[in-house]
Amino acid sequence: MGRGEPAMVQFPLVGRDSAVALLGDAVRAAAGGTGGCFVVEGPAGTGKSRVIGAVADAAGTGVTTVFGRAARLDRAAPLRTLRTLLRANEIVALDEADTADPRADPARLAAKLGDRVARCAATRPLLVLLDDAHWADELTGLILRCLVPTLADAPVLWLLTRRPSPTRGPSQDSIDALIADGAPRVRLGPLDSTAIADLCARVLGGAPDRRLLALAERTEGNPFLLKELLTTLPHAGTVRVANGVAAIDRDDLPVGFLNSVHRRLSGLSERTRWLLDAGSVFGRPFTVHEVAGLLGQPAVDVVPLVNEVVDEGVLVGGTELSFRHDLVREALYTALPGPIRLALHREAAEVVKGEGRSSVEVAEHLVRSGRTGDEQAMDVLGNAVRELAPTAPHTAADLILRMLELMGEHDAPRPRLVAHAVRLLASAGRVEHARELGERALHAGLSVDDEATLLLGLAEALYIAGFTDPAAEYTARALARPELAGPVRAQLMAIRAYALLDKPNVEEAERTGRDAAALAESIGVNPAWVCGNAARGVAARIQGKLAEAVTHGETAVGLADSIGGIVRHQHPQLWLGRTLTAVDRFADADAAFTMGQREAEQLGTAWSQPLWHLYRAELLLAWGRLDEAETQALAGLRFAERLATVARGVPLLTLLARIAMQREDLDLARHHLDRAESLVREGVGAAREDVAWTAALLHDIAGEPAAAMSSLAEALTAVPDRLELFTHDTRVGAQVVRIARSAGADARAESAVTATRLLAERNAEVPSLVAAAQHAEGVWRGDLGLLRTAVRTYRSSPRVLARAAAVEDLALAEDAAGHAGDAVELMEEALGVWLDAGATWDAARAKRALRRMGVRRRFRREPAAAGGWASLTQSELRVVRLVAEGLTNREVANRLFLSPHTVDSHLRHSFSKLGVNSRVELTRKVVVRDGERDEVAT
């Protein structure tokens, strides 16, 4: 290369292979005698210089390379770009007089220069690189516009780089004219996620972990910002590499990166830099009027500065201005001296208020300015919290926390603010933070109502986390004060009703919920009114009074819908949906879960997400869709773990254990159960019956019926007060009878029969519960007629697995009665259900029974679990197809009415089954498969 070429930084060039290959082919074509011109364009920092540098490196010694770079000042001096280009590469193609005359004729100079360049290229092909050609002076641009077509037949290749700009100019017009004449454009966009991860690995020496990759992706794929980030992170001492993985200790930007951004902007005027500093304070797109107001200048005086930074590509114009890269905004904001930053936020609060922005934004600036002591500021902040709380509890809680930081420990409003923050934190799923904040604030000297409000917030946080016993204790402590005001008392009673639902005797929970709803209705405390009715619905469901449970649940949902606001955070659809599942209204339950979960995502009430997944998984399992049930349960478990509400993982773990058993994976089942039992030992009050039932099933499989009955002792002792164990899975009654008979525990078997009979009597309109009672009693008495009736009743029920269990028991009874033909037909029916559901353990048992009945033919094979397209469920296929169309997880979720976490689980399963590791590979698989199917079709 010529002496004018810059020294390229030794930094990996990734994500530009196609551009380098295309331009490399053009160089080889020029070496063969065919010249041309290419325009490489992209925003600042996209690596245009690196690309043409890589092309020049690959050109080799057989090509003469001429390099030049235009500069901003070139525009003021005619022919300056051209003179610099020629002199830097020691090319005497024009006389001094030619380039010294500012009024030189472009056509004449182009003809003279073209003649001499053509003679030079005749001996050796010529590669001319002009970087930042958009800065070229007007005369140089005009000469290039004439010269490039003139040399079209010569072995001369021109590579021009430019930055697109909304501001037009002669040089940009000249380049556009070359493109119009046929010069191809090579556009460089941001690097994709794969290229970002690859660059991180190559620079840092290890694959980036999720935290590091998230920081790197904040560069939005801009190679310059990414390069500066990756080269300054090691110097900051925040990167560690172990076992081939690079990780960071914190997410803040290194000082070296901040300095590099400032160096990048050093060419701007001081006034323009001040505009950018002011704009960084808004933290969002802003108008010219807003930034002018913050600078204290008329908008008309700011317009030239705006045009400059838009032309530079630092800001993006439109109806509002925004930083092209938020990392640049953050770097500018971080570098502001503290006093200046506070002053700017103080002024910004007035500016955005004057522009009619929301009180939330005004409050944000007030908090960041340190102004929370005066009454006016506190009023604004209070309005902002009230505005945010119904739809964004996470953000509202953060706003209160920042208010508390700027408030004295003994300020009068502090206890109520803490209580409000505790409740919002719990609603947003930040339970540990809520508990720590609330307990730290409890101290002597609080008023009765302030202490009770704090205890209410703590009780809600603990209940959400699944720790029902301490939640009940907190509410009892507060309710013991007779002078407690009615509104707080109603809310404490409502949450106490929930906390008491896990007690052996549910009557106190039902009574407390009823009293809470009555008190709340009489004094107009809407959250407690909804909560009390919902708790009554759950209590009625646990008692097996399902029609009553539906009524209370529908009342709670209707109230929440009509009242709106913060009341919607109660999500009574959760409890109603579970009851609708229990009464065989599967479609209604599915709709309730779908709409409720979407609302929870919109409201930001993360606490509810594990429960949406749990109850939907229970529904899917009852429907016989094991794969989808497992996907939902795993998504819920990941959510619970991420929210640190691991207690909510107990029923999810037990559900996963039961699914694993049905698939003959006993090791996995024991692993899930061990985790659930360890959480119960740590004080989790919820889902103890689920743990007991799952443990009993594992003992039964291991041939330990006595141990199984021991696990169920507490749950069966609670019958008939608690019937929940027999409500949600109607197979339980008959299974308990079978286990109890094996253990010689006839009293326990009769207890199970009594429970199912009582459920059937209370819910005669629910086919599954009536069939469950007939099934349990038929197994207990060995009554063929009852078993036949149970199967007939189950045929009008959507519970395919429960029906298959009854069909299997009837087949065994028919066989014992000597009805071999009926027995075989029934057992094959049950086998078909088990195979379709993927319940391999049950299928294996049915096959053994058929062998004993003398059936020797080969049975239909279970669905292959090894992988491939055939192993994908219909839900997974739908997700895969939309991902292959380029949709994000959230876009897929919106399209399919699923949560993003469910989509993520489907995608993980699909990756595993198809043997791919990225969305790109997945898309290729889909394209190939579709192509193969098209060929077959034709």
Side-chain angles (χ1 to χ4, degrees):
M1 295 184 68
R3 281 185 283 176
E5 179 190 352
M8 293 293 180
V9 178
Q10 294 303 309
F11 196 79
L13 181 64
V14 301
R16 303 300 188 215
D17 293 348
S18 59
V20 172
L22 174 65
L23 297 177
D25 290 341
V27 172
R28 285 185 286 277
T34 303
C37 177
F38 283 76
V39 177
V40 181
E41 64 179 16
T46 47
K48 300 181 293 295
S49 303
R50 294 293 314 282
V51 166
I52 64 172
V55 173
D57 285 340
T61 57
V63 175
T64 298
T65 302
V66 176
F67 179 87
R69 173 178 288 129
R72 180 194 299 271
L73 296 178
D74 287 3
R75 293 180 295 181
L79 281 177
R80 179 168 180 165
T81 305
L82 184 57
R83 281 202 305 267
T84 303
L85 174 68
L86 297 176
R87 289 172 182 172
N89 293 275
E90 299 181 353
I91 298 176
V92 186
L94 293 175
D95 300 328
E96 185 69 24
D98 293 327
T99 59
D101 182 3
R103 294 167 298 179
D105 177 25
R108 185 185 65 80
L109 289 179
K112 187 173 183 180
L113 183 60
D115 182 58
R116 296 186 180 181
V117 169
R119 287 202 299 270
C120 178
T123 59
R124 178 185 287 182
L126 193 62
L127 172 61
V128 183
L129 311 176
L130 180 56
D131 205 6
D132 290 340
H134 53 280
W135 293 131
D137 64 89
E138 181 176 358
L139 190 52
T140 297
L142 291 172
I143 290 173
L144 288 176
R145 185 171 178 175
C146 299
L147 183 61
V148 171
T150 300
L151 294 171
D153 295 329
V156 180
L157 178 64
W158 303 81
L159 298 186
L160 313 179
T161 75
R162 76 159 173 183
R163 186 187 308 163
S165 171
T167 303
R168 306 310 303 165
S171 295
Q172 291 278 23
D173 292 342
S174 293
I175 297 171
D176 286 339
L178 291 172
I179 292 170
D181 286 341
R185 263 197 281 206
V186 180
R187 291 188 174 95
L188 301 184
L191 301 177
D192 60 22
S193 297
T194 302
I196 292 173
D198 180 32
L199 191 56
C200 290
R202 293 171 65 178
V203 173
L204 301 177
D209 70 350
R210 181 172 296 183
R211 188 176 184 181
L212 173 56
L213 186 58
L215 178 60
E217 287 183 341
R218 289 186 59 201
T219 64
E220 301 173 21
N222 182 272
F224 167 76
L225 294 176
L226 188 56
K227 168 181 172 290
E228 296 301 320
L229 181 65
L230 296 180
T231 52
T232 55
L233 275 175
H235 294 298
T238 60
V239 179
R240 63 182 186 279
V241 181
N243 301 320
V245 176
I248 52 175
D249 298 320
R250 56 182 189 270
D251 300 326
D252 53 320
L253 298 173
V255 174
F257 177 82
L258 303 181
N259 291 338
S260 70
V261 170
H262 280 270
R263 285 194 300 272
R264 183 80 172 188
L265 302 176
S266 60
L268 300 176
S269 67
E270 184 176 351
R271 290 185 66 220
T272 304
R273 287 288 303 276
W274 183 226
L275 179 142
L276 292 175
D277 287 341
S280 72
V281 169
F282 289 103
R284 56 154 175 83
F286 53 91
T287 66
V288 173
H289 281 90
E290 285 174 331
V291 75
L294 194 52
L295 292 171
Q297 298 179 11
V300 68
D301 291 347
V302 173
V303 170
L305 308 181
V306 170
N307 289 337
E308 181 182 354
V309 286
V310 169
D311 200 38
E312 281 288 332
V314 182
L315 295 183
V316 178
T319 56
E320 293 186 316
L321 301 167
S322 61
F323 283 83
R324 184 176 293 277
H325 301 288
D326 193 61
L327 275 187
V328 173
R329 185 204 65 80
E330 185 176 334
L332 291 170
Y333 180 80
T334 302
L336 287 173
I340 293 178
R341 188 186 306 161
L342 293 177
L344 284 171
H345 277 298
R346 191 171 297 119
E347 293 297 324
E350 297 300 325
V351 168
V352 299
K353 183 179 180 181
E355 291 288 326
R357 298 283 183 172
S358 72
S359 61
V360 175
E361 187 170 352
V362 178
E364 181 72 26
H365 287 297
L366 283 174
V367 170
R368 291 179 181 269
S369 72
R371 272 186 67 203
T372 57
D374 61 86
E375 188 175 338
Q376 182 183 4
M378 289 300 294
D379 286 344
V380 172
L381 293 168
N383 289 336
V385 171
R386 284 189 289 274
E387 183 180 329
L388 280 169
T391 56
H394 182 100
T395 306
D398 280 343
L399 187 55
I400 294 181
L401 292 175
R402 289 199 291 273
M403 292 167 62
L404 291 172
E405 290 173 1
L406 300 168
M407 183 180 290
E409 283 294 325
H410 301 290
D411 286 1
R414 187 176 183 86
R416 290 188 175 276
L417 279 177
V418 170
H420 199 178
V422 167
R423 299 172 73 182
L424 289 169
L425 286 167
S427 182
R430 297 157 64 181
V431 177
E432 285 302 314
H433 194 171
R435 186 173 184 178
E436 178 186 345
L437 177 65
E439 291 182 341
R440 192 169 62 241
L442 284 173
H443 55 76
L446 290 174
S447 70
V448 171
D449 283 356
D450 284 348
E451 181 186 47
T453 303
L454 269 174
L455 290 170
L456 171 63
L458 284 166
E460 287 182 336
L462 287 164
Y463 174 75
I464 282 171
F467 295 97
T468 53
D469 290 343
E473 292 170 10
Y474 277 132
T475 55
R477 174 178 162 183
L479 289 168
R481 306 289 289 269
E483 66 272 37
L484 181 64
V488 181
R489 178 174 293 277
Q491 293 180 77
L492 281 162
M493 291 169 63
I495 197 64
R496 179 170 176 77
Y498 273 126
L500 293 173
L501 289 169
D502 289 310
K503 301 296 183 184
N505 190 333
V506 190
E507 288 183 1
E508 185 182 357
E510 196 282 330
R511 185 173 60 255
T512 304
R514 181 191 63 217
D515 293 345
L519 176 60
E521 183 180 9
S522 66
I523 61 178
V525 183
N526 292 328
W529 192 11
V530 173
C531 187
N533 275 292
R536 292 185 71 187
V538 177
R541 188 186 70 226
I542 292 171
Q543 294 171 312
K545 304 171 183 177
L546 299 185
E548 185 179 325
V550 170
T551 298
H552 290 314
E554 289 178 339
T555 298
V557 170
L559 287 172
D561 288 344
S562 62
I563 295 167
I566 198 74
V567 175
R568 296 164 67 206
H569 290 200
Q570 302 285 342
H571 293 307
Q573 304 99 313
L574 272 170
W575 328 116
L576 175 60
R578 202 178 194 202
T579 302
L580 293 174
T581 299
V583 297
D584 287 356
R585 290 170 58 181
F586 281 15
D588 291 340
D590 193 35
F593 294 144
T594 299
M595 300 309 296
Q597 189 167 16
R598 289 176 70 84
E599 182 181 61
E601 290 171 359
Q602 294 166 357
L603 294 175
T605 45
W607 70 269
S608 65
Q609 289 296 342
L611 293 175
W612 292 115
H613 288 291
L614 168 65
Y615 297 158
R616 188 184 288 276
E618 289 179 343
L619 169 63
L620 291 166
L621 183 60
W623 240 330
R625 292 150 65 175
L626 266 65
D627 281 348
E628 294 177 69
E630 182 186 38
T631 295
Q632 288 288 341
L634 287 171
L637 186 60
R638 281 196 295 274
F639 221 126
E641 290 169 345
R642 190 168 69 253
L643 295 173
T645 56
V646 290
R648 286 299 178 192
V650 171
L652 290 159
L653 286 165
T654 55
L655 184 67
L656 287 167
R658 294 194 294 275
I659 291 173
M661 282 184 240
Q662 289 195 263
R663 289 176 167 165
E664 298 184 276
D665 194 342
L666 300 187
D667 289 339
L668 180 59
R670 289 191 183 94
H671 170 72
H672 288 318
L673 180 60
D674 286 346
R675 289 181 63 190
E677 288 177 333
S678 69
L679 289 170
V680 170
R681 287 193 293 270
E682 292 174 11
V684 176
R688 288 174 180 160
E689 287 159 317
D690 286 340
V691 174
W693 174 236
T694 307
L697 288 174
L698 267 175
H699 284 305
D700 181 49
I701 288 172
E704 303 165 349
M709 295 314 300
S710 177
S711 296
L712 288 172
E714 183 179 348
L716 293 177
T717 301
V719 172
D721 293 323
R722 294 186 65 91
L723 298 174
E724 187 169 32
L725 180 64
F726 301 88
T727 303
H728 294 295
D729 187 347
T730 57
R731 293 175 292 177
V732 171
Q735 287 175 292
V736 171
V737 169
R738 194 179 298 106
I739 296 170
R741 291 185 66 176
S742 298
D746 289 355
R748 296 300 190 196
E750 287 190 271
S751 179
V753 171
T754 299
T756 58
R757 188 184 300 129
L758 184 57
L759 270 172
E761 291 170 356
R762 290 177 175 173
N763 305 279
E765 73 287 355
V766 182
S768 294
L769 296 177
V770 174
Q774 296 162 344
H775 185 192
E777 191 159 1
V779 172
W780 169 238
R781 300 185 183 283
D783 189 315
L784 188 60
L786 274 174
L787 290 174
R788 286 172 176 165
T789 302
V791 169
R792 281 198 301 272
T793 307
Y794 260 132
R795 295 203 185 283
S796 59
S797 156
R799 296 178 183 268
V800 293
L801 298 184
R803 182 177 74 237
V807 168
E808 181 182 357
D809 282 334
L810 175 58
L812 294 173
E814 295 282 12
D815 187 55
H819 307 150
D822 291 340
V824 169
E825 183 177 345
L826 288 165
M827 191 61 75
E828 288 187 332
E829 178 187 344
L831 174 60
V833 174
W834 303 133
L835 291 176
D836 289 340
T840 53
W841 181 273
D842 301 287
R845 186 181 61 245
K847 287 180 180 180
R848 289 193 297 271
L850 285 167
R851 296 297 184 199
R852 289 194 300 272
M853 294 174 188
V855 178
R856 295 290 178 264
R857 64 177 176 275
R858 295 184 65 181
F859 302 112
R860 176 161 61 92
R861 294 172 61 92
E862 294 88 345
W869 289 103
S871 67
L872 297 185
T873 65
Q874 288 302 310
S875 296
E876 289 167 349
L877 275 171
R878 287 194 291 270
V879 168
V880 164
R881 291 214 159 273
L882 291 176
V883 167
E885 291 177 17
L887 274 66
T888 65
N889 283 16
R890 184 162 292 280
E891 289 168 338
V892 173
N894 290 335
R895 184 80 64 87
L896 298 179
F897 296 94
L898 300 172
S899 80
H901 307 282
T902 301
V903 171
D904 180 63
S905 290
H906 282 317
L907 206 52
R908 287 170 184 266
H909 286 181
S910 301
F911 276 20
S912 176
K913 291 177 179 180
L914 297 177
V916 298
N917 297 309
S918 70
R919 301 166 81 93
V920 174
E921 291 182 71
L922 183 67
T923 301
R924 288 199 195 101
K925 284 257 186 186
V926 172
V927 171
V928 169
R929 181 173 187 253
D930 288 348
E932 292 172 347
R933 295 172 70 179
D934 289 344
E935 288 180 11
V936 171
T938 56

